[in-house]
Amino acid sequence: MTKEFAKKRIEELNKLTKYHAKKYYDEDNSEISDFEYDMLMVELRNLEAKFPELTDKESLTQNIGGTVKEGFQKVQHSVPLQSLQDVFNEEELYAFDNRIKKVVNEDISTNADLEREIKYVVETKIDGLSVSLEYENGEFVRGATRGNGQIGEDITENLKTIKSLPKTLKDNIDIIVRGEVFIGKEDFEKLNMEMEEEGQKFANPRNTAAGSLRQLDSSIAASRPLDIFIFNVQKCDGKEFKSHYESLKYLEEIGFNVNPIKTLCNNIEEVIKETARIGEGRGELPFGIDGVVIKVDDLSLREIIGTTFKTPKWAVAYKYPPEQQETTLTDIICQVGRTGVITPMAILEPVVVAGSTIAKTTLHNQDFIKEKDLKIGDRVLIQKAGDVIPEVVKSLKEKRTGKELDFEMPKTCPACGAVAVREEGEAAIRCIGIECEARNARNAIHFASKAGMDIEGLGEKVVVNLLENKLINNIADIYYLKQEDIASLKKDGQKFASNLIEAIEASKNNNLDKLISALGIRHVGSKAAKTLSKKFRSMDELMEARLEELIETDDVGKTTAESIYAFFKQEQTRDLTQKLKNANVNMEEQSEEAKDLRFEGKTFVLTGSLTKYTREQATEIVESFGGKTSSSVSKKTSYVLAGEEAGSKLTKAEALGVNVISEEEFEELIK
């Protein structure tokens, strides 16, 4: 290889590894497998070794990937959180052992131990997010991500939500430990089953665990089944250890959830046997791993062996290649989620991968199928991402017989026959049928919510109960419920049933905008619903509106207009609307048309704390005079109504020269 070619390839690899490291460490959204990333790093490392003068000081072979996310406090690690050098075969393990022995034997202080074998500890390498935990007098005080190894993010509140993380230790000691936060295989599968009903799916446990911990809202972390294993003492005041294995035993004694697979090996041969044993059984482990970590056990020897800026010289990570199996893609079927997203599923000839039988897996969307060039009847390679999620790696085109069939996503919903729509810029195809059985629960829950018809007492559990007992099949059926039917759902349920019937009856008198919002038309929220109600004045007029009329409506726009137009052209929509009308649900705009249009064509932005009006009251006043409100300031903004402690919107308004008014000046305008 010429130096010029090497220079070009090193530049390419630096860009690629930095891009994928950012996706992995900072965005928790990796696009390639760990193995593919490792191979890029191996190639880069080998080229830099051959042409050291071409090594960029910013190369990830010289630095740890990861930055501090905006919004988090920075934490300076008192002991750096280093990464590990990767190895991939027995030869590299023997080479690692030889390097260790050479350094130790060259040190004069170890001459008495020249013939002694080096002991190692082999531990599973958990596929999660590395964190540092600090305890003072045995109390958990702070936790942080690894970040760039020197500075991490303070995620203390998120870490406190992890049940297996002890808040108080059994020893009143000052200690800093390092651990790995992860989600177990079974928990991850349950979580993904729940998410799949929402038309979403997490890519892998590692990204999900990392993404959950790096949220500013700790309730998100609390809602996820996060777990943690501790694997190292970083710093410990008043306690000394001779070996790493001894320190792990101590951590267990004082209450830490320590990595359960940790084997003390007397020499490198035992290490290799243990590495192979763990590899053969990794599919049966309750958590995902991407390899094992081999560490010198004797802590005094570690001091002699030393570290680089990025990695300790006394440890390596042995990476397993992902297990892949060949099988046949026998069919592709489509499933409809609760949000209406239609997802293609691969039906496979059953095959055992990483310890479990795989018979089907998601193909995500049409773009994924096209990218992988998949056909029904193809021989395909299957693997488990993070040892958990089965995925199709690629089709084996060279094995095609000519009998394979192309697949196209359906134009109509496989569950109800309504039109299936793919909006511009989206990969997902959605059913827009209001009576689609797959969407019934979500539709009914939204219909009854505060954002919809605001039916008090008709919450999610009651809706699901009504559907499961076949008391309703769609949202219109809510208005045909009988008191005795509702009462049958609960012991002594007469009072509850009576109150709910009253709430349902009262909702019939809601204004038209509440009904429009309750129908759950994609992209139509409460603000757009109010605008549509005031412009078209009745459900009949809205249903017959031309696309051009909808596009010209304020707060709507082209995408929303197309969504409304397609929704009301569905036979299901017309059928459901008629049922609601027959139940005497109001279909008319009840407010009088504004005669005083002094604010017509004007846009108000409300900011700060208003003392004389609530935001809702001020908005209603503006709209009653033909104006509208917006949540953001621009050059097109007519007025910014600024209350106390107005912030960035006021600053932007002043910078743009927008007219800023007080509540007193607003009152002058509406006199």
Side-chain angles (χ1 to χ4, degrees):
M1 179 185 290
T2 65
K3 187 174 180 179
E4 282 147 32
F5 182 83
K7 184 174 184 292
K8 185 178 178 183
R9 182 57 181 159
I10 285 173
E11 288 172 355
E12 289 173 352
L13 288 168
N14 273 320
K15 285 180 184 176
L16 275 171
T17 52
K18 286 174 185 174
Y19 172 79
H20 289 298
K22 181 177 173 61
K23 300 298 285 185
Y24 181 87
Y25 291 109
D26 299 340
E27 300 176 19
D28 307 312
N29 185 28
S30 50
E31 293 180 355
I32 60 175
S33 69
D34 287 357
F35 186 74
E36 290 171 299
Y37 177 77
D38 289 340
M39 292 303 100
L40 291 175
M41 287 297 292
V42 167
E43 185 184 355
L44 179 58
R45 198 179 300 117
N46 290 341
L47 282 173
E48 289 177 344
K50 192 172 182 180
F51 300 95
E53 68 278 13
L54 298 179
T55 301
D56 187 335
K57 66 179 181 179
E58 299 299 321
S59 168
L60 289 182
T61 61
Q62 313 298 311
N63 298 278
I64 296 173
T67 58
V68 177
K69 192 174 181 180
E70 189 176 339
F72 285 100
Q73 292 292 319
K74 293 181 179 180
V75 175
Q76 179 77 45
H77 295 302
S78 57
V79 178
L81 271 63
Q82 296 179 300
S83 60
L84 292 167
Q85 182 75 43
D86 295 333
V87 296
F88 300 92
N89 52 51
E90 284 186 23
E91 289 74 17
E92 289 181 301
L93 282 176
Y94 278 118
F96 164 67
D97 182 56
N98 288 334
R99 286 196 302 273
I100 297 294
K101 287 177 178 175
K102 183 180 179 182
V103 172
V104 171
N105 290 346
E106 283 177 354
D107 189 87
I108 297 172
S109 67
T110 64
N111 279 341
D113 299 320
L114 285 185
E115 302 304 317
R116 188 182 65 184
E117 292 283 5
I118 306 295
K119 289 186 178 182
Y120 297 100
V121 177
V122 177
E123 303 166 52
T124 46
K125 187 175 184 298
I126 310 300
D127 197 13
L129 181 74
S130 190
V131 296
S132 171
L133 310 176
E134 297 180 36
Y135 288 77
E136 292 178 3
N137 293 319
E139 297 291 330
F140 177 54
V141 294
R142 187 164 66 167
T145 62
R146 184 176 72 169
N148 63 12
Q150 305 292 320
I151 298 173
E153 301 151 333
D154 189 327
I155 54 168
T156 306
E157 295 308 309
N158 290 342
L159 286 166
K160 284 179 180 178
T161 68
I162 301 175
K163 295 181 178 64
S164 55
L165 187 150
K167 312 307 181 287
T168 304
L169 301 177
K170 296 175 183 176
D171 193 350
N172 296 333
I173 195 166
D174 292 352
I175 191 171
I176 301 175
V177 298
R178 185 171 173 182
E180 196 84 2
V181 176
F182 66 97
I183 296 177
K185 292 179 182 178
E186 191 175 321
D187 286 334
F188 183 72
E189 287 174 358
K190 286 180 184 175
L191 179 63
N192 244 353
M193 283 173 66
E194 294 170 7
M195 295 302 295
E196 199 169 6
E197 290 182 350
E198 303 291 333
Q200 302 175 50
K201 200 162 187 177
F202 290 119
N204 57 63
R206 187 270 164 196
N207 287 357
T208 309
S212 302
L213 273 184
R214 301 176 80 224
Q215 297 285 339
L216 296 175
D217 181 1
S218 61
S219 67
I220 295 175
S223 71
R224 305 276 167 78
L226 298 172
D227 205 342
I228 187 169
F229 284 153
I230 306 304
F231 61 83
N232 200 62
V233 174
Q234 297 292 97
K235 185 179 179 182
C236 187
D237 294 340
K239 188 85 176 174
E240 290 189 7
F241 305 101
K242 291 183 178 180
S243 76
H244 175 62
Y245 199 74
E246 176 194 347
S247 71
L248 294 178
K249 290 296 184 183
Y250 171 73
L251 292 176
E252 284 181 323
E253 289 169 9
I254 62 174
F256 283 113
N257 193 31
V258 175
N259 190 338
I261 300 179
K262 48 190 181 299
T263 306
L264 182 60
C265 298
N266 293 308
N267 50 55
I268 196 65
E269 284 76 19
E270 289 186 12
V271 166
I272 289 170
K273 285 180 183 177
E274 180 63 7
T275 298
R277 186 191 70 80
I278 293 172
E280 287 169 7
R282 64 179 168 144
E284 305 301 321
L285 294 174
F287 46 85
I289 67 171
D290 57 359
V292 293
V293 179
I294 297 105
K295 305 173 184 174
V296 169
D297 185 46
D298 190 319
L299 300 183
S300 63
L301 291 185
R302 289 187 185 184
E303 292 292 325
I304 296 165
I305 297 163
T307 72
T308 66
F309 173 77
K310 182 181 178 181
T311 62
K313 294 179 181 179
W314 40 261
V316 290
Y318 180 93
K319 292 292 194 75
Y320 298 114
E323 182 187 338
Q324 297 181 338
Q325 295 291 343
E326 183 181 329
T327 188
T328 300
L329 175 58
T330 60
D331 200 1
I332 299 175
I333 63 171
C334 288
Q335 296 181 341
V336 187
R338 289 202 298 174
T339 60
V341 172
I342 301 171
T343 304
M345 298 290 295
I347 305 301
L348 306 164
E349 190 177 286
V351 62
V352 177
V353 183
S356 58
T357 301
I358 308 302
K360 68 176 184 177
T361 185
T362 181
L363 295 177
H364 305 292
N365 51 55
Q366 181 71 55
D367 291 348
F368 181 87
I369 294 170
K370 186 177 179 181
E371 178 192 329
K372 299 285 184 181
D373 189 19
L374 300 175
K375 295 176 183 284
I376 297 171
D378 267 344
R379 294 293 287 174
V380 293
L381 275 186
I382 305 294
Q383 71 179 28
K384 273 190 170 184
D387 282 343
V388 178
I389 303 177
E391 62 180 3
V392 176
V393 179
K394 65 176 181 177
S395 61
L396 302 173
K397 297 178 215 173
E398 67 277 9
K399 295 192 176 184
R400 284 178 178 164
T401 63
K403 295 180 181 179
E404 294 78 16
L405 301 173
D406 289 328
F407 172 81
E408 288 292 333
M409 289 292 288
K411 300 288 190 296
T412 58
C413 172
C416 73
V419 172
V421 174
R422 177 175 180 173
E423 293 179 0
E424 189 176 339
E426 282 201 354
I429 293 176
R430 298 174 185 272
C431 165
I432 60 171
I434 189 68
E435 292 183 323
C436 180
E437 187 176 342
R439 300 177 57 204
N440 272 345
R442 189 176 182 89
N443 286 345
I445 290 164
H446 171 72
F447 186 85
S449 70
K450 285 189 178 296
M453 294 297 272
D454 195 11
I455 303 174
E456 189 175 349
L458 191 53
E460 182 174 345
K461 288 183 179 177
V462 178
V463 167
V464 171
N465 216 343
L466 290 169
L467 285 165
E468 287 177 348
N469 285 277
K470 308 295 183 186
L471 295 174
I472 62 171
N473 291 312
N474 55 51
I475 57 180
D477 290 344
I478 291 169
Y479 292 99
Y480 295 88
L481 283 167
K482 295 177 181 176
Q483 185 167 326
E484 56 267 28
D485 291 335
I486 299 171
S488 69
L489 298 177
K490 287 190 174 187
K491 187 178 180 181
D492 302 324
Q494 288 296 336
K495 179 65 175 173
F496 167 74
S498 175
N499 290 340
L500 184 53
I501 288 292
E502 280 184 27
I504 291 170
E505 283 297 313
S507 74
K508 291 180 180 180
N509 299 317
N510 284 342
N511 193 43
L512 175 60
D513 67 283
K514 295 290 286 180
L515 178 58
I516 295 170
S517 180
L519 291 175
I521 308 166
R522 189 156 168 76
H523 303 304
V524 176
S526 57
K527 188 172 184 181
K530 284 182 180 179
T531 304
L532 291 165
S533 181
K534 286 180 178 175
K535 177 171 181 176
F536 293 100
R537 311 295 296 177
S538 76
M539 183 62 77
D540 287 340
E541 289 295 321
L542 177 58
M543 289 174 71
E544 299 305 324
R546 291 178 293 108
L547 180 60
E548 293 76 14
E549 289 181 280
L550 292 166
I551 291 173
E552 290 168 1
T553 303
D554 288 341
D555 303 319
V556 174
K558 186 172 182 292
T559 300
T560 306
E562 289 172 345
S563 176
I564 298 166
Y565 186 77
F567 177 80
F568 283 117
K569 291 305 172 196
Q570 295 299 304
E571 188 177 334
Q572 288 184 28
T573 305
R574 293 177 176 273
D575 175 62
L576 183 109
T577 307
Q578 188 59 50
K579 288 177 185 174
L580 291 169
K581 191 181 289 186
N582 293 343
N584 296 319
V585 175
N586 175 55
M587 300 275 166
E588 307 286 333
E589 168 62 38
Q590 295 172 336
S591 66
E592 292 184 13
E593 289 192 64
K595 293 176 182 176
D596 185 341
L597 300 176
R598 67 181 74 180
F599 292 156
E600 186 173 24
K602 298 190 183 299
T603 302
F604 285 71
V605 172
L606 314 180
T607 185
S609 300
L610 302 178
T611 57
K612 298 187 177 183
Y613 311 93
T614 64
R615 291 280 181 97
E616 291 74 19
Q617 288 170 337
T619 298
E620 285 177 10
I621 292 169
V622 169
E623 290 175 350
S624 71
F625 288 118
K628 66 175 185 175
T629 59
S630 174
S631 59
S632 58
V633 178
S634 71
K635 289 182 179 179
K636 293 182 180 179
T637 303
S638 309
Y639 297 99
V640 169
L641 173 54
E644 295 176 4
E645 298 180 6
S648 59
K649 291 178 184 177
L650 175 60
T651 305
K652 187 173 181 181
E654 291 170 341
L656 292 174
V658 172
N659 195 356
V660 178
I661 59 173
S662 64
E663 287 185 79
E664 290 73 21
E665 290 170 311
F666 179 65
E667 287 189 315
E668 287 297 317
L669 289 176
I670 62 176
K671 272 185 180 178

